[in-house]
């Protein structure tokens, strides 16, 4: 008769082997990758939001009458701040879509602000504006990288959740597919602002 302790050990080994073969470890690993990559996405979005107040103030100093553009950027930043980007958001496609839409509005508002700035030579020459613009461009590049990593992590995870036999393990432990950035959203975010250098500066521009 087998020793009880040995029996327990054998059962544990079999259980671990079964879980490994059914994708449990892969689910754990890919889920952690999603959490880490999402944290970096949020970090870069927060960096962008932190630049907005200073950017708006500098532009206001040269183009105070561009009230609509300045207000739109400020309101977009405020809207982004109302969305709680908690880990639970990754399990709620509708909440994720709202977050995505808010960030898209921020991108659009900032693009419009930079287009307007092209009409103000003294603003473009301002050292503070140039520094903020460089920081914004760098942040957008890092955001793109972070989003791409998140998209890849979600793709790997979702494949594991859907593919047999790991889908059975996912069902047992409650793992579900997670939302990702849509192709349309990616194209919109990645689209650089259209700048017409031939546009004459508006009346009253410094």
């Amino acid at each position: 008769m087998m020793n009880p302790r040995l029996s327990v050990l054998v059962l544990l080994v079999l259980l671990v082997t079964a879980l490994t073969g059914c994708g449990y470890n892969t689910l754990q690993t890919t889920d952690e990758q999603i959490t880490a990559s999402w944290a970096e996405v949020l970090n870069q979005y927060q960096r962008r939001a932190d630049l907005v107040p200073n950017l708006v103030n500098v532009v206001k100093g040269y183009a105070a009458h561009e009230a609509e553009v300045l207000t739109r950027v400020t309101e977009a930043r405020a809207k982004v701040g109302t969305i709680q980007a908690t880990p639970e958001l990754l399990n709620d496609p509708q909440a994720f879509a709202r977050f995505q839409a808010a960030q898209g509005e921020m991108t659009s508002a900032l693009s419009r602000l930079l287009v307007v700035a092209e009409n103000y030579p003294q603003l473009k020459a301002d050292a503070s504006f140039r520094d903020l613009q460089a920081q914004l461009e760098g942040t957008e590049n890092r955001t793109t990288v972070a989003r791409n990593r998140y998209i890849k992590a979600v793709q790997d995870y979702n494949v594991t959740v859907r593919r047999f036999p790991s889908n059975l393990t996912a069902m047992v432990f409650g793992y579900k597919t997670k939302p990702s950035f849509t192709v349309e959203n990616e194209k919109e975010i990645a689209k650089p602002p259209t700048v017409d250098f031939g546009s004459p500066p508006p009346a009253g521009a410094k």
Side-chain angles (χ1 to χ4, degrees):
M1 185 174 179
M2 185 178 292
N3 185 294
R5 290 184 178 179
L6 182 58
S7 299
V8 172
L9 180 60
V10 170
L11 288 173
L12 288 175
V13 171
L14 290 174
L15 178 61
V16 170
T17 302
L19 288 177
T20 301
C22 290
Y24 180 79
N25 287 344
T26 302
L27 285 167
Q28 291 285 327
T29 300
T30 52
D31 192 37
E32 287 298 324
Q33 289 173 343
I34 288 175
T35 300
S37 57
W38 178 246
E40 183 58 24
V41 169
L42 294 182
N43 181 45
Q44 298 307 327
Y45 276 138
Q46 184 60 53
R47 185 193 298 269
R48 180 173 73 168
D50 290 342
L51 289 173
V52 168
N54 288 336
L55 188 60
V56 167
N57 285 335
V58 172
V59 173
K60 188 184 298 183
Y62 291 90
H65 61 284
E66 300 283 1
E68 181 180 351
V69 176
L70 295 169
T71 299
R72 184 178 175 187
V73 174
T74 301
E75 290 179 345
R77 181 180 186 272
K79 186 173 182 179
V80 166
T82 63
I83 299 176
Q84 298 296 317
T86 61
E88 287 73 22
L89 181 143
L90 301 181
N91 298 314
D92 185 342
Q94 291 184 341
F96 187 89
R98 289 193 294 272
F99 174 86
Q100 182 175 313
Q103 294 296 346
E105 288 181 23
M106 172 72 86
T107 299
S108 177
L110 285 171
S111 295
R112 178 58 187 157
L113 183 67
L114 294 179
V115 169
V116 167
E118 290 294 334
N119 289 320
Y120 297 85
Q122 291 187 24
L123 171 59
K124 290 169 59 180
D126 184 279
S128 295
F129 177 77
R130 291 202 309 270
D131 178 63
L132 289 168
Q133 188 175 26
Q135 290 185 56
L136 181 61
E137 290 172 354
T139 299
E140 293 292 1
N141 290 335
R142 287 190 291 271
T143 301
T144 298
V145 172
R147 271 198 316 269
N148 287 339
R149 287 175 179 167
Y150 172 79
I151 291 170
K152 180 62 169 62
V154 170
Q155 181 183 31
D156 292 343
Y157 168 87
N158 285 347
V159 166
T160 304
V161 169
R162 292 179 175 137
R163 185 172 54 193
F164 181 84
S166 55
N167 64 328
L168 301 177
T169 304
M171 289 174 61
V172 171
F173 289 95
Y175 287 96
K176 297 180 180 179
T177 56
K178 296 182 186 293
S180 188
F181 294 99
T182 63
V183 174
E184 291 75 14
N185 180 254
E186 281 297 295
K187 288 181 179 178
E188 181 62 29
I189 290 175
K191 183 171 29 175
T194 302
V195 179
D196 182 5
F197 290 97
S199 299
K206 295 183 178 182

